Amino acid sequence: ARRVAGNRSARLAVWIFALYPESILQGSAQMREPFLITFVSLAFCGLLEWQVSRRRRDWLWVVIGLAGMLLVSPGIALVTLIILAGWLWLSQEERRIPWPAIGAAALLFVLALIIVGASWESLRSVQGNGPLGIAAGWFERAVKWQREVTAGSSGIVQLLFRRLPGWIQMPFVAIYGITQPVLPAVFIEPTLPVWRVLGILRAAGWYILLPGLMYAPIAAGSRPGVGLEPQKRRAWLWLAAVVWVWILVASLRAGGDQWDNPRYRVILLAFQSLLAAEAWFHWRASGNAWMKRILAVEGISILVIGYWYITRYLNLFVHLGVRNTLAIAIALAVLVFAGGWLWDRWRAGRRA
């Protein structure tokens, strides 16, 4: 974290990395995610050290990290290779091509593809040519299956699916997955005390981290002079892009599943911690209004959805129905974002 963001952001990033509730939960169970979080961190750390020192021995950490991922999840090894390659290319001022590193990465990439393909060849229902075709076919069927599971797990989602056009159902599953675990729900839905406490911690952790991740692309793409060094802005934009692609992939892969969805999402916690910490200090230094708008939209959404849960489970106030509730939440979010954008344009026009 110090290599890419400085001491101040590094301290916050490390505390996020150490105390993020979902990571602690996965680390206390017989899950693969804590191993993957560690291996991703090792690989990225080795790459960053090599960028500064140019010592060949620093690549040992990259190799250890990627080799560990191959043992646990070859697919994550492929994802990490892509992320590291993009960072390496975009963060170099001179854009020198490290051919030995590229050669080693290519060999690992091929090895990971072979392992992935071999592990899925036994799935008779999956059609495709080669490992990439198998992977694409498997993911397509997994997403369709998860859409059915998401609908089957909730009568409300079933109702929405019956009334939503077919083309909007998959985007709905993706957005629905991003909100998991839903913060108002863990406070109000009937459950045992231990699960309520656990759910509150998990949901609160995600809803605290989420605004920083939403603001991170704005911080990375803002004008030089505040926060990020100009030559690193492209690399930070790349990091923000791949983190959000991964969040969407996790949402599509696991939908509204309150366990698998956050479990997949937390694998890239190292990058998420860095982005959230840098976004926080960029906002504090720049005073950019978009962070306030993001926080406002999140707060409004929690209140509106929370009102729906209160009226449904506690029989208080007037029940609006799920469609009206979602329409109100979306309309208010659009109003805040569109109004903020128009306000910025008006102020810019006056200054000109």
Side-chain angles (χ1 to χ4, degrees):
R2 285 197 300 267
R3 292 296 190 198
V4 297
N7 289 332
R8 187 175 60 170
S9 290
R11 284 193 293 268
L12 179 56
V14 167
W15 280 116
I16 295 172
F17 186 84
L19 300 180
Y20 187 59
E22 191 67 39
S23 176
I24 295 174
L25 173 66
Q26 299 300 329
S28 67
Q30 69 285 10
M31 308 302 290
R32 64 180 181 175
E33 277 64 33
F35 298 98
L36 294 173
I37 293 170
T38 303
F39 291 139
V40 170
S41 303
L42 282 175
F44 191 46
C45 181
L47 178 66
L48 295 174
E49 290 296 324
W50 176 83
Q51 284 188 293
V52 174
S53 66
R54 300 292 172 173
R55 296 175 303 193
R56 291 185 179 180
R57 67 185 184 187
D58 291 326
W59 282 100
L60 178 62
W61 294 109
V62 181
V63 172
I64 291 174
L66 292 172
M69 283 180 255
L70 286 176
L71 294 174
V72 180
S73 175
I76 301 301
L78 295 178
V79 172
T80 305
L81 273 173
I82 294 171
I83 296 173
L84 297 185
W87 175 274
L88 181 63
W89 177 250
L90 293 170
S91 63
Q92 290 191 118
E93 295 181 38
E94 301 176 11
R95 299 291 178 85
R96 290 184 297 176
I97 301 176
W99 291 111
I102 289 178
L107 288 175
L108 281 169
F109 188 85
V110 171
L111 179 60
L113 274 180
I114 292 172
I115 294 174
V116 170
S119 64
W120 284 336
E121 281 287 359
S122 59
L123 300 179
R124 305 272 182 185
S125 62
V126 177
Q127 298 177 356
N129 298 320
L132 287 177
I134 293 171
W138 175 84
F139 184 76
E140 178 188 2
R141 286 160 177 78
V143 169
K144 290 181 179 179
W145 167 249
Q146 191 56 54
R147 180 183 62 185
E148 300 303 322
V149 171
T150 300
S153 63
S154 171
I156 296 170
V157 176
Q158 289 180 0
L159 174 64
L160 286 173
F161 273 18
R162 284 198 295 268
R163 300 183 179 181
L164 288 174
W167 62 270
I168 207 173
Q169 292 181 7
M170 202 63 73
F172 172 82
V173 170
I175 296 173
Y176 183 62
I178 292 174
T179 65
Q180 301 297 324
V182 180
L183 187 58
V186 299
F187 278 99
I188 300 170
E189 280 189 333
T191 186
L192 296 174
V194 63
W195 294 118
R196 188 178 304 283
V197 172
L198 188 60
I200 289 172
L201 291 173
R202 296 174 68 222
W206 173 237
Y207 279 69
I208 291 171
L209 184 65
L210 185 57
L213 297 180
M214 293 178 68
Y215 181 75
I218 299 172
S222 62
R223 289 173 295 181
V226 178
L228 301 175
E229 299 175 15
Q231 65 269 22
K232 291 186 177 181
R233 290 170 62 216
R234 291 186 300 269
W236 280 92
L237 278 170
W238 164 254
L239 209 60
V242 295
V243 162
W244 271 106
V245 168
W246 182 251
I247 290 171
L248 289 172
V249 168
S251 296
L252 288 171
R253 174 64 185 87
D257 193 307
Q258 294 193 28
W259 294 99
D260 282 350
N261 188 343
R263 181 167 66 89
Y264 300 150
R265 199 165 55 205
V266 79
I267 292 172
L268 299 187
L269 179 61
F271 304 129
Q272 294 168 6
S273 302
L274 288 169
L275 287 168
E278 191 63 28
W280 169 257
F281 285 110
H282 180 278
W283 173 56
R284 292 292 300 274
S286 66
N288 192 304
W290 279 103
M291 180 62 122
K292 296 179 181 178
R293 293 162 189 163
I294 291 170
L295 290 170
V297 167
E298 184 181 63
I300 290 169
S301 301
I302 290 173
L303 290 175
V304 172
I305 301 301
Y307 177 85
W308 182 85
Y309 275 98
I310 288 173
T311 58
R312 183 188 184 198
Y313 289 101
L314 303 182
N315 295 320
L316 298 175
F317 313 118
V318 178
H319 189 63
L320 298 177
V322 64
R323 286 187 302 166
N324 293 333
T325 301
L326 291 177
I328 291 171
I330 293 171
L332 292 174
V334 170
L335 182 63
V336 171
F337 285 144
W341 180 80
L342 291 172
W343 173 256
D344 290 343
R345 297 285 294 179
W346 180 76
R347 291 183 62 187
R350 286 197 62 184
R351 285 196 296 267

